[in-house]
Amino acid sequence: MNKKKLIAGNWKMNGSLAANQALLKGILSGLKDPACAIAVCVPAPYLAQCQALLATSPVELGAQDVSQHELGAYTGEVSVAMLKDFGVRYAIVGHSERRQYHGETDAVVAAKAQRALANGITPIVCVGETLAEREAGKTEEVVKRQLAAVIHLNGHCISEVVVAYEPVWAIGTGKTATPEQAQEVHAVLRAQLKAATAQADRIQLLYGGSMNAANAAQLLAQPDIDGGLIGGASLKSADFLTIISAAA
Ligand code: PEP
């Protein structure tokens, strides 16, 4: 089926007013009629700056997390209404760094995805196995369990969600899954989505984990890879632009 690929940058905890301006200027000046959808998921303090810089561009704004709660005494958290105030379209949910360093469980990830969807923000739900899980032959079991947690959200169809397969061992390590390894897991996820909804082919299934300018084309050519969630390489405008052009 013909759907646009999505290339989303995850800046993580990087950037400054000056660096963000230079990076977005570089990306916007190099964008020529992109064939894919594009987003940058920026640190929360820079949402206002990036919203202004992206206002007339095709690049959409994303957040890196969202609170599962509506509002109130949750020091340090950012609500979905706050993200909406800055024109945020996407929120990464359940990134492995949140699962690992902030103890986010599948239930928390589902609550966050639910909260985002209920307020018109598309969650980019991350799933992926650790190296130990892969070596123990548990990749399929782990990603299926993580996806199952968000597959039946109250009143929402999974087709409203973007899913990112991010093998934890490939994130920020320079060790990319081979296109075949990535496709194998994407096919498992697609089959699970197909069992849940007739809309499964519409769902964007992104790959993330050391995707870069050199390997993007091969990864994005796989039948079930519908885009990329890109960390390190999204901080360099030339590399991000090359990945965007590979996603035609
Ligand atoms: C990520 O953080 O989502 C990611 C994929 O990072 P990197 O591209 O740096 O591996």
Side-chain angles (χ1 to χ4, degrees), residues 10 12 92 95 97 126 166 170-174 207-211 229-233:
N10 173 14
K12 311 196 190 199
I92 299 173
H95 189 282
E97 288 152 15
C126 301
E166 297 210 310
I171 297 178
T173 59
Y207 168 78
S210 299
M211 188 186 272
L229 182 56
I230 295 115

Side-chain angles (χ1 to χ4, degrees), residues 47-66:
L47 286 170
Q49 180 204 17
C50 296
Q51 180 187 31
L53 290 169
L54 297 173
T56 56
S57 87
V59 179
E60 300 199 84
L61 194 54
Q64 298 174 12
D65 186 29
V66 62

